[in-house]
Amino acid sequence: MRPMASGRLLFRFAIGIMQLSAQRFGSVLRAASATHPPVPREAAAEARASRLRDVAIGSLAAIPGAVTELRSLVHARTLRLRRLARRYVRLRSDLPSIPRGLARLELWQARAVEQLDRLAESGQHEQAAGRTLAAGVVKRLIEGGAHEVAESPDLKRVIQEQSQGIAGAALTEIRNRSAQADDAAESLARRILGIRRESPA
Amino acid sequence: MSEEVVTAQRAGFMSRFTAFVLDAVILTVALRGATWFVVASDKTLRGFHHLIDPAAIIRALVPALVAVYLTMFWRLFGQTPGKWLMGLKVVRPGGGPLTFGRALLRCAGYLLSALPAYAGFIWILGPRRRGWHDQIAGTQVVYVRRRPVEGARALARAPSA
């Protein structure tokens, strides 16, 4: 099997990452938007400074709808044109160039549809491959990162120093308390037995 | 970073008793574990001719094993694990380490201290903080305390950038 070019792999990875992100964070975003109700229009309208941004975002959001409308409009117009052309051909069927032109138009249309189908199929394949690639790479990156952090000598040194510091402090506390208990026990014994005080050193 | 420094102050009864209890726990766990291992091995190999009871041998060896534990730790490190945990060290009156003979004598002194109802240990409560075994072996038990090393202190004094 021939190795894939880096640019193609990067493209595939980018598609996969986008799709995975959309899948994984989509539910989180939906939940967040459900818990935070949208700001009322009146309040949003008052923010004049952000009006340009709102317009830009609104335009971007309207693109899919506009494209659909444009498509249906074009479809309707071309349909009318084709009807007119057919009627004209029926009337002037003796002219050979027009049916030939129409046949060529239909051939181009069929080719275009075929090409679009191929592109769509290729796109679906790219998306599936991208998702698989991105999932594998993200997993490897996370594992690699975790391994890198776990094996980091600096982190190990910090943890060791912290542990030693905590253990050492606990040990020192126990030793100091036991030394105080020594003095208390001696003081009690002296009082019971009536022994005079003397420096232990 | 810190280092352990031997002080000149003799340790009192409670610290030493706690260290003794810790050593007793360590010895008990070790000997019980060894006994379990030997008995389990014996049961596994029971098909062979059974002449001796290995658990009985270990039980018989307990005093000798305890003596070896104490003597070797005092000779090699000046402290048993229990004494290390409590920050204690057995030294000669001048502060030097124990010889093997002195460590052995101290171990024997334990027996003498224990014989009259542990009266020899009560002497630790006295002003000199020395039991009979200390006086017999010419030893003393002193505190060991942690103090920061020079490099760490210099680092702590250095102005931050």
Side-chain angles (χ1 to χ4, degrees):
Chain A
M1 186 184 261
R2 223 172 57 182
M4 196 175 280
S6 305
R8 181 72 184 272
L9 267 175
L10 272 174
F11 174 70
R12 184 173 281 182
F13 178 67
I15 288 174
I17 277 288
M18 280 192 287
Q19 290 219 331
L20 279 181
S21 305
Q23 273 176 8
R24 293 190 183 179
F25 298 123
S27 57
V28 178
L29 290 171
R30 274 193 294 277
S33 67
T35 51
H36 296 91
V39 179
R41 280 171 188 276
E42 294 80 14
E46 284 171 10
R48 285 173 185 272
S50 61
R51 192 165 178 80
L52 187 63
R53 189 189 63 196
D54 293 344
V55 168
I57 291 172
S59 305
L60 282 172
I63 283 175
V67 167
T68 310
E69 277 178 24
L70 188 69
R71 198 173 143 199
S72 54
L73 186 71
V74 167
H75 182 72
R77 289 289 162 88
T78 51
L79 195 69
R80 196 174 294 168
L81 273 173
R82 281 172 70 185
R83 276 182 195 153
L84 279 172
R86 281 210 183 93
R87 200 173 295 163
Y88 181 72
V89 168
R90 275 200 294 274
L91 290 173
R92 299 287 307 268
S93 56
D94 52 329
L95 289 176
S97 59
I98 291 173
R100 251 205 322 275
L102 278 175
R104 192 172 293 167
L105 186 70
E106 280 178 358
L107 184 69
W108 287 346
Q109 194 181 11
R111 277 182 188 169
V113 169
E114 196 181 334
Q115 183 65 28
L116 282 173
D117 287 345
R118 271 206 299 274
L119 281 173
E121 195 182 340
S122 166
Q124 282 173 359
H125 172 73
E126 281 296 323
Q127 287 175 53
R131 275 199 300 272
T132 313
L133 178 72
V137 169
V138 166
K139 195 179 169 193
R140 263 192 217 174
L141 281 174
I142 290 169
E143 281 173 359
H147 182 74
E148 191 77 18
V149 168
E151 291 297 316
S152 162
D154 290 338
L155 187 72
K156 277 184 178 175
R157 185 176 50 78
V158 167
I159 291 170
Q160 196 179 4
E161 281 179 7
Q162 290 286 332
S163 309
Q164 281 178 351
I166 292 165
L171 211 58
T172 305
E173 181 65 21
I174 291 169
R175 288 172 178 181
N176 291 339
R177 289 285 171 91
S178 70
Q180 286 171 5
D182 288 344
D183 295 338
E186 264 176 38
S187 165
L188 187 70
R190 270 201 303 274
R191 260 185 287 166
I192 291 168
L193 300 171
I195 303 168
R196 67 185 175 82
R197 193 182 177 86
E198 192 180 332
S199 174
Chain B
M1 296 291 284
S2 62
E3 61 178 356
E4 297 208 318
V5 181
V6 179
T7 64
Q9 194 185 0
R10 286 184 188 146
F13 182 82
M14 292 307 288
S15 299
R16 293 174 67 173
F17 179 71
T18 312
F20 177 79
V21 171
L22 288 171
D23 280 329
V25 170
I26 291 166
L27 273 166
T28 306
V29 169
L31 288 172
R32 288 258 173 176
T35 308
W36 175 84
F37 179 74
V38 170
V39 169
S41 306
D42 179 57
K43 277 182 183 168
T44 311
L45 303 170
R46 200 158 276 269
F48 296 96
H49 187 58
H50 192 64
L51 280 175
I52 49 166
D53 180 7
I57 291 177
I58 290 184
R59 277 196 294 273
L61 284 174
V62 162
L65 292 171
V66 171
V68 168
Y69 171 87
L70 294 173
T71 309
M72 293 316 291
F73 271 112
W74 288 336
R75 170 67 190 89
L76 294 173
F77 307 107
Q79 52 190 173
T80 56
K83 279 192 165 56
W84 173 76
L85 278 168
M86 296 312 295
L88 310 175
K89 198 161 192 176
V90 186
V91 293
R92 284 188 296 182
L98 269 65
T99 60
F100 180 73
R102 207 177 277 266
L104 200 62
L105 193 62
R106 192 171 193 272
C107 190
Y110 261 16
L111 281 175
L112 287 174
S113 296
L115 272 177
Y118 298 95
F121 293 104
I122 303 299
W123 252 247
I124 298 170
L125 280 166
R128 292 183 188 280
R129 291 184 167 180
R130 290 179 84 191
W132 288 3
H133 47 283
D134 286 319
Q135 292 175 38
I136 290 166
T139 57
Q140 60 179 356
V141 179
V142 293
Y143 290 119
V144 178
R145 289 294 177 257
R146 283 169 175 270
R147 82 167 181 205
V149 294
E150 203 56 41
R153 272 187 291 179
L155 200 67
R157 279 200 301 268
S160 56

